[in-house]
Amino acid sequence: MARTRVKELLNDAEIGKSVEVKGWVRAFRSNRFIQLNDGSCLASIQAVLEFENYEDALLKRITTGAAINVQGTLVASQGKGQSVEIAVSSIEIIGDANPDEVQKTVMQPKKHSLEFLREQAHLRFRTNTFGAVFRIRHGVSYAIHKFFNDRGFYNLHTPIITGSDAEGAGEMFHVTNFDLENIPKNEHGAIDFKEDFFGKQVNLTVSGQLEAELGALALGQVYTFGPTFRAENSNTSRHLAEFWMVEPEVAFNDLEDNMNLTEDFLKYICSYILENYREDLTFLNDREAQEQKSKPEKDRQTMTLMERLEFVINHSFERITYTKAIEILKNSKPYKKKKFKYPVEWGTDLQSEHERYLVEQEFKKPVIITDYPAAFKAFYMRQNDDGKTVAAMDVLFPGIGEIVGGSQREERLDVLKKKCADFNISEEEIWWYLDTRRFGTVPHAGFGLGFERMVMFVTGMSNIRDVIPFPRTPQNAEF
Ligand code: 4AD
Ligand code: MG
């Protein structure tokens, strides 16, 4: 008999059908009721057996965490909580799980802290919460590909090993196959990268943007969606050393087009998950609502998870310039009462306390801030006519902060060359990037969405370590 997945059984159940289901036991009650979960959906199916028909030795092996195969007939359920169940005719134990050992793990059916679950990231998939999170993570990934495919974008796989530091922040992980005990040196005593695998110094990419631009300037509109790596030593709930980024790049788009694309894109993802992941989303929604009760009034969410998704879909994002943002902040209560820790001054970067004020207090919705001072943005951003600011945009989300960073790109060769000089980037190093400005250069724009930050937003999880299967953070690369 072919195995049927629980999701199919629960969705279009055909009463009276013979079925076979393989999965893991979540619970076994009264020697009679097995809750069987196979990961296809949040719900388990109930398998009911007549214990008189089975040997004690077999019944003892039906324990939480064990893998089993049940065959039987799908029948209407007598009990509450499910419409159908399996009347079992035979059971086979596929893999045992020692109950004494299971006791010590997150599989033990009780409430565990997220910290404890993180220590057992290899087993946390088996909990309802992480099953829901990782099914939704898949949904977000699929929605992204669908959005771009439906709009005629091409997915471009940009390299993971690269010689460039696109963002210029110098937060790179080096890649080498040198014998670290015996690194070749040149006559000046410096490391001789000519001897290294690639004959030059390379690192893990911090962004696929520069290569995506090359693609966009021929294919018209592309997106890259891959892992990116940043050796920034920030141990926060929003930073990972290895995270996934989605970076579309569109020829002939200006900053305005770029903002419109971002807004459509983020709304699409929220709608897609609301429509296609109801069960998991409802679970996470209720889980969050429960958690809120134990929090002090002031730290509680004003909207539920689902309301927040609906809200983003139904409201246009606020669009303001950096200069305007500074003005608003200077007139704000926390500024006047000296509540901000960091200075608010035209020319200094916004800190997360400022971003949070704008999003959560002032506008109470997603905000796009544009036209930042050139000094603290990347070299490739297009210089505005004022000579001081660049055509940059950051999208800020409630509870998350910066979720997207993007810009219109500098397409004028002379201006770009000057920017390279200002940023100490040698022209020989990125001759290929400059070449695209020599041959049929056009205005173009793009952005980068932090994939995990988006997954945080749609699942309501408040720590980024809980939306990626195996987080990499400072001092932590287990599993
Ligand atoms: O703002 P960033 O640095 O922009 C870029 O890398 C551009 N090349 C994008 C582009 O225009 N194509 O990063 C983009 C987004 C941020 O807004 C944030 O959501 C996320 O990537 N991000 C991180 N997510 C998790 N952990 C980190 N350490 C992150 N750093 C950035
Ligand atoms: Mg940024």
Side-chain angles (χ1 to χ4, degrees):
M1 201 188 304
R3 167 171 92 98
T4 315
R5 304 202 76 196
V6 172
K7 187 178 181 182
E8 285 170 54
L9 285 183
L10 296 178
N11 276 353
D12 41 11
E14 200 183 300
I15 301 290
K17 195 178 164 191
S18 296
V19 295
E20 174 177 77
V21 177
K22 295 178 184 178
W24 293 269
V25 175
R26 281 290 174 85
F28 185 34
R29 279 189 299 116
S30 318
N31 254 353
R32 201 173 152 74
F33 304 105
I34 304 171
Q35 294 303 325
L36 190 59
N37 189 283
D38 70 356
S40 58
C41 60
L42 183 81
S44 299
I45 193 153
Q46 175 156 284
V48 186
L49 54 87
E50 306 291 335
F51 60 84
E52 299 84 353
N53 299 346
Y54 301 90
E55 298 202 353
D56 250 14
L58 180 111
L59 294 174
K60 282 212 171 72
R61 293 169 66 196
I62 307 174
T63 56
T64 298
I68 64 170
N69 177 3
V70 302
Q71 297 189 339
T73 313
L74 198 68
V75 297
S77 178
Q78 316 285 309
K80 275 194 277 180
Q82 66 273 327
S83 58
V84 292
E85 61 191 27
I86 301 169
V88 176
S89 58
S90 79
I91 292 191
E92 178 202 344
I93 309 287
I94 302 172
D96 289 285
N98 179 332
D100 294 336
E101 298 291 326
V102 166
Q103 276 278 322
K104 298 175 205 151
T105 74
V106 298
M107 286 185 288
Q108 202 210 352
K110 63 164 226 192
K111 200 165 162 37
H112 303 286
S113 73
L114 291 171
E115 288 76 17
F116 181 52
L117 285 152
R118 241 169 261 151
E119 286 168 21
Q120 295 196 3
H122 60 308
L123 295 175
R124 68 178 177 172
F125 296 112
R126 300 189 185 200
T127 64
N128 282 335
T129 300
F130 286 93
V133 166
F134 291 116
R135 277 185 297 271
I136 290 181
R137 183 180 162 109
H138 161 80
V140 175
S141 171
Y142 179 75
I144 288 166
H145 287 295
K146 183 163 165 50
F147 176 89
F148 287 122
N149 185 68
D150 289 353
R151 281 160 188 74
F153 282 68
Y154 297 109
N155 184 197
L156 196 71
H157 295 125
T158 52
I160 289 169
I161 299 175
T162 167
S164 63
D165 175 13
E167 296 306 304
E171 294 162 334
M172 292 143 354
F173 290 102
H174 303 298
V175 177
T176 177
N177 76 337
F178 274 155
D179 170 2
L180 296 185
E181 303 288 345
N182 188 15
I183 298 175
K185 301 274 172 70
N186 62 21
E187 64 273 23
H188 310 295
I191 297 172
D192 188 2
F193 285 103
K194 285 204 185 70
E195 294 280 312
D196 204 353
F197 190 90
F198 296 103
K200 63 189 263 189
Q201 192 175 358
V202 294
N203 50 272
L204 294 176
T205 189
V206 297
S207 157
Q209 178 198 320
L210 300 189
E211 292 89 351
E213 280 187 55
L214 312 180
L217 292 171
L219 296 165
Q221 37 188 34
V222 301
Y223 69 105
T224 173
F225 182 0
T228 45
F229 307 86
R230 294 189 187 179
E232 51 190 330
N233 208 349
S234 11
N235 236 324
T236 79
S237 58
R238 290 168 178 69
H239 288 87
L240 289 167
E242 175 181 296
F243 64 99
W244 288 65
M245 209 191 325
V246 188
E247 296 180 276
E249 196 65 39
V250 185
F252 311 109
N253 264 13
D254 62 14
L255 189 64
E256 174 91 28
D257 303 321
N258 206 30
M259 285 192 274
N260 294 341
L261 179 68
T262 315
E263 194 167 332
D264 288 350
F265 175 56
L266 299 178
K267 288 179 168 170
Y268 178 86
I269 295 172
C270 294
S271 314
Y272 185 87
I273 297 301
L274 267 173
E275 274 166 35
N276 295 280
Y277 285 82
R278 272 278 155 191
E279 188 191 26
D280 288 317
L281 205 54
T282 305
F283 174 82
L284 292 173
N285 186 78
D286 298 350
R287 176 188 174 280
E288 185 190 81
Q290 202 60 36
E291 299 260 286
Q292 296 288 308
K293 287 186 192 156
S294 61
K295 287 191 174 164
E297 189 86 43
K298 65 171 179 49
D299 295 341
R300 289 189 199 159
Q301 297 274 7
T302 50
M303 286 185 252
T304 67
L305 171 60
M306 281 179 167
E307 283 165 356
R308 296 200 297 277
L309 297 183
E310 298 278 6
F311 185 87
V312 164
I313 296 165
N314 295 322
H315 291 80
S316 46
F317 297 4
E318 190 69 34
R319 299 176 182 196
I320 56 168
T321 63
Y322 166 89
T323 303
K324 178 82 190 163
I326 293 290
E327 200 183 300
I328 294 170
L329 288 168
K330 289 212 159 190
N331 285 315
S332 71
K333 257 198 202 138
Y335 179 80
K336 289 179 175 161
K337 291 187 170 171
K338 299 196 167 27
K339 287 271 164 66
F340 288 135
K341 198 167 147 220
Y342 293 92
V344 177
E345 208 55 62
W346 200 99
T348 57
D349 205 354
L350 299 179
Q351 299 296 322
S352 83
E353 57 177 354
H354 308 136
E355 298 179 341
R356 289 194 67 162
Y357 174 81
L358 293 168
V359 174
E360 288 158 27
Q361 310 289 321
E362 178 75 17
F363 295 111
K364 299 191 166 63
K365 60 174 175 169
V367 177
I368 309 182
I369 302 182
T370 62
D371 305 289
Y372 285 83
F376 54 82
K377 289 291 183 188
F379 80 101
Y380 52 71
M381 296 189 180
R382 191 178 198 279
Q383 193 181 303
N384 287 330
D385 293 342
D386 63 12
K388 294 187 298 189
T389 60
V390 287
M393 57 168 220
D394 275 6
V395 182
L396 314 178
F397 259 36
I400 306 284
E402 182 192 332
I403 198 161
V404 163
S407 71
Q408 187 174 335
R409 319 306 189 187
E410 186 53 75
E411 85 283 14
R412 297 160 297 187
L413 183 63
D414 52 334
V415 184
L416 188 57
K417 277 181 160 182
K418 189 169 173 307
K419 279 302 259 308
C420 287
D422 293 348
F423 281 75
N424 253 325
I425 301 168
S426 88
E427 288 183 27
E428 290 88 82
E429 221 177 280
I430 57 160
W431 60 275
W432 40 271
Y433 188 71
L434 297 173
D435 251 10
T436 54
R437 275 65 172 172
R438 289 194 178 97
F439 308 118
T441 190
V442 300
H444 60 287
F447 63 83
L449 167 70
F451 178 68
E452 282 76 19
R453 292 193 187 172
M454 190 66 200
V455 179
M456 285 173 79
F457 185 73
V458 295
T459 58
M461 301 301 283
S462 53
N463 193 313
I464 199 164
R465 294 168 179 80
D466 297 329
V467 298
I468 188 164
F470 303 106
R472 268 76 182 102
T473 50
Q475 299 297 313
N476 171 40
E478 195 63 46
F479 308 105

